[in-house]
Amino acid sequence: MMREWIGQFKYRGNEKYGSLLGEIMNRAYQAMRYEFASLKHSRFKSSLWSVDVVTCVPVSEKRLTERGFNQAQILAEEIARRNKLPFLSLLARPQDTGKQSFKSKKERINTMNNAFSVHPNMTNLLNSFILKAESQCVTENKLSVTVLLVDDIYTTGSTLQACARVLREKALEQGIHLAIFCLTLARS
């Protein structure tokens, strides 16, 4: 049934599944928070318990035009809304990389290497957020922000790794340390 719902949502443009799948994602997020919070002496305990910003894997303009929406953004916005967290669009996908579902693992990894960039306004978005945030901490004279990066389907992890790398590199240039946690709806 889940495969059918995801297919309706992602490939057939049936946005009404967004709220339902967002609730499923939110339950997974809550379970993840509970799991990490219950671990004794976990280095992730405090940072995961206090996610500061929710963002998502972007789609290219071509894919956005075809679908009419970014499914990962809808899921991320649902989690943000349900947990009263800010959603910030921090990433851009300047080139269309084609459908990843038709590619091998090696092809996916190669394609994702330079597929993402930070949103042109990312630094300003993070800085304005940091000025308002109460939960970020200072680590080694750097501001630390915890980001939840959301995508719909995890296959090889290359998309999430590429997004996290680009975010982390740009943030470090600005003297900001990002702790990035990823959450996906399904794994193929």
Side-chain angles (χ1 to χ4, degrees):
M1 187 179 330
M2 180 64 86
R3 185 179 298 224
E4 175 61 28
W5 290 352
I6 292 170
Q8 284 289 332
F9 180 55
K10 182 173 182 171
Y11 301 113
R12 293 181 202 95
N14 199 336
E15 286 184 73
K16 74 179 183 180
Y17 285 90
S19 183
L20 170 67
L21 296 173
E23 173 59 24
I24 292 169
M25 289 281 291
N26 187 57
R27 288 182 185 192
Y29 170 70
Q30 295 301 326
M32 194 168 75
R33 286 179 59 193
Y34 177 78
E35 180 180 334
F36 279 107
S38 66
L39 293 175
K40 302 261 190 271
H41 312 291
S42 171
R43 67 185 180 111
F44 298 122
K45 181 180 178 181
S46 62
S47 61
L48 186 59
W49 191 252
S50 59
V51 165
D52 297 307
V53 176
V54 179
T55 195
C56 68
V57 172
V59 295
S60 67
E61 285 298 320
K62 179 182 177 186
R63 194 72 61 224
L64 187 60
T65 302
E66 286 175 4
R67 261 188 216 132
F69 63 96
N70 175 353
Q71 69 282 356
Q73 182 174 341
I74 289 174
L75 298 171
E77 287 174 343
E78 283 287 327
I79 291 170
R81 182 181 62 77
R82 292 169 191 266
N83 293 280
K84 297 178 177 49
L85 295 167
F87 170 83
L88 297 178
S89 184
L90 300 177
L91 292 159
R93 195 173 195 154
Q95 60 184 1
D96 181 46
T97 54
K99 293 190 178 186
Q100 298 302 299
S101 57
F102 298 123
K103 295 180 181 177
S104 70
K105 181 177 181 174
K106 185 177 179 181
E107 289 171 324
R108 287 173 192 237
I109 291 169
N110 289 337
T111 301
M112 290 297 118
N113 274 338
N114 297 306
F116 301 100
S117 63
V118 295
H119 189 281
N121 204 21
M122 178 203 160
T123 303
N124 292 337
L125 288 170
L126 274 181
N127 284 333
S128 67
F129 166 74
I130 288 168
L131 292 174
K132 293 185 244 175
E134 298 173 6
S135 61
Q136 84 280 350
C137 61
V138 177
T139 308
E140 300 172 13
N141 297 324
K142 290 182 186 170
L143 287 170
S144 181
V145 177
T146 302
V147 175
L148 180 66
L149 175 60
V150 175
D151 199 6
D152 57 350
I153 299 172
Y154 180 102
T155 304
T156 64
S158 59
T159 299
L160 293 169
Q161 287 174 5
C163 288
R165 180 182 45 79
V166 168
L167 283 172
R168 195 172 288 118
E169 286 172 359
K170 185 63 172 180
L172 282 174
E173 287 175 15
Q174 305 302 314
I176 301 168
H177 174 266
L178 292 184
I180 302 171
F181 292 89
C182 303
L183 183 63
T184 61
L185 179 62
R187 182 170 184 159
S188 70

